Amino acid sequence: SSDLTGNADNRMYVEKLDFTGNTVNETTYITYTINHLSTTVQTSSTPTNTAKVMVTNGTDEPAFYTTLVDAVTAATEGSTITLRDDVTVSDTVVIEHGLTLDLNGYTITGKADEGSDVGRRVLWVKSGTLNLTGKGTITTAEKNDGTFAVTSSVIRVGENNPGADAGLVLGENITITAPASYGVSIFGNNAPESKLTLKVYGTIHVT
C-alpha cells in the first residue's frame, strides 16, 4: 500500500511504500505499481535459510542452491562453488569442467539417503580439474552395499571413454575420510589421448 501526494506540476511522489517480497532464485525482488506503471527492483541478494551452496561466475551476482548437484549443474567453466552448510549427496555428483569447490569449513557426506549408514561415492571428475579449497571434509557413511563396494572410492578421477583430461587438486586444509572404501581412485580409458592428474596437499585418511 502507499500514500501518494500530487504537486501542481502533475508529478507524483511516493511518501510511503509498504510491500512484501517474492523469492526468485534465492534473491528477493519486489514489484510495485503506481497507476499503470509497474517496476520490479532487486532489494536483497541475501539467500534463504535453505540455500546450502553458493555459485559465483566471475563478475555475475552469486546464485544460491539447496543441493550440491544443482549448483554443479548451474556452474560453468571456472566457477567457484562455496558451501554454506554441511551437505549430503545420495547420487554421485559428476564434474565435467574445471571448477573450484570451497568447502568453507563444512563437510560433504555420501550416503544412500539422509538417515542411512550405507555410503555413496561423492564426486566423479570426468573432465576438467576440480580444485578443492578452503577447509573441510569429504567422506561417506560407514557401510557398503551392491552400489557402493569396498573397492569404490570417495572421489574418482577419470572417464570410461577416452579423450578428456581430468584432474583433482586437494588443498592443504582438505581431508578425505574413507571409512568404507578407497579415498581417491584415478583410472579410466583417458590415456594416451589425454591425461589424468592428482595433486594432494591435504590429507586422505582411510579407516
Side-chain angles (χ1 to χ4, degrees):
S1 64
S2 59
D3 298 329
L4 305 176
T5 59
N7 264 4
D9 59 6
N10 293 321
R11 288 180 293 181
M12 185 173 289
Y13 299 85
V14 178
E15 291 184 343
K16 182 176 71 175
L17 183 64
D18 299 323
F19 56 84
T20 57
N22 297 313
T23 298
V24 181
N25 292 330
E26 309 296 347
T27 302
T28 303
Y29 293 83
I30 62 153
T31 300
Y32 60 89
T33 302
I34 301 175
N35 288 348
H36 62 285
L37 301 176
S38 180
T39 302
T40 300
V41 296
Q42 179 180 336
T43 62
S44 173
S45 59
T46 302
T48 65
N49 290 333
T50 59
K52 293 188 173 185
V53 190
M54 178 178 71
V55 178
T56 52
N57 297 295
T59 59
D60 293 343
E61 287 291 323
F64 299 90
Y65 301 89
T66 57
T67 68
L68 180 59
V69 67
D70 286 345
V72 170
T73 299
T76 58
E77 179 75 30
S79 293
T80 296
I81 299 173
T82 305
L83 297 190
R84 304 179 66 255
D85 201 348
D86 293 335
V87 172
T88 298
V89 299
S90 57
D91 295 307
T92 301
V93 178
V94 176
I95 308 297
E96 296 185 294
H97 43 247
L99 297 173
T100 295
L101 176 54
D102 183 353
L103 296 191
N104 194 31
Y106 295 105
T107 297
I108 306 174
T109 303
K111 55 175 61 179
D113 56 59
E114 188 64 39
S116 177
D117 60 357
V118 175
R120 288 290 182 265
R121 173 176 283 153
V122 177
L123 297 167
W124 183 359
V125 185
K126 289 188 175 183
S127 62
T129 297
L130 175 63
N131 290 284
L132 296 175
T133 65
K135 181 179 181 179
T137 300
I138 301 178
T139 188
T140 70
E142 298 81 11
K143 293 184 178 180
N144 304 103
D145 64 1
T147 300
F148 184 66
V150 68
T151 54
S152 186
S153 58
V154 179
I155 302 175
R156 176 181 170 181
V157 179
E159 171 63 290
N160 292 329
N161 299 313
D165 293 344
L168 176 67
V169 180
L170 200 70
E172 62 179 344
N173 294 313
I174 301 296
T175 299
I176 306 298
T177 301
S181 68
Y182 295 112
V184 176
S185 56
I186 178 166
F187 67 95
N189 296 326
N190 301 60
E193 292 85 357
S194 56
K195 62 182 180 180
L196 306 178
T197 58
L198 174 62
K199 296 181 180 180
V200 179
Y201 304 100
T203 302
I204 300 176
H205 183 54
V206 180
T207 59

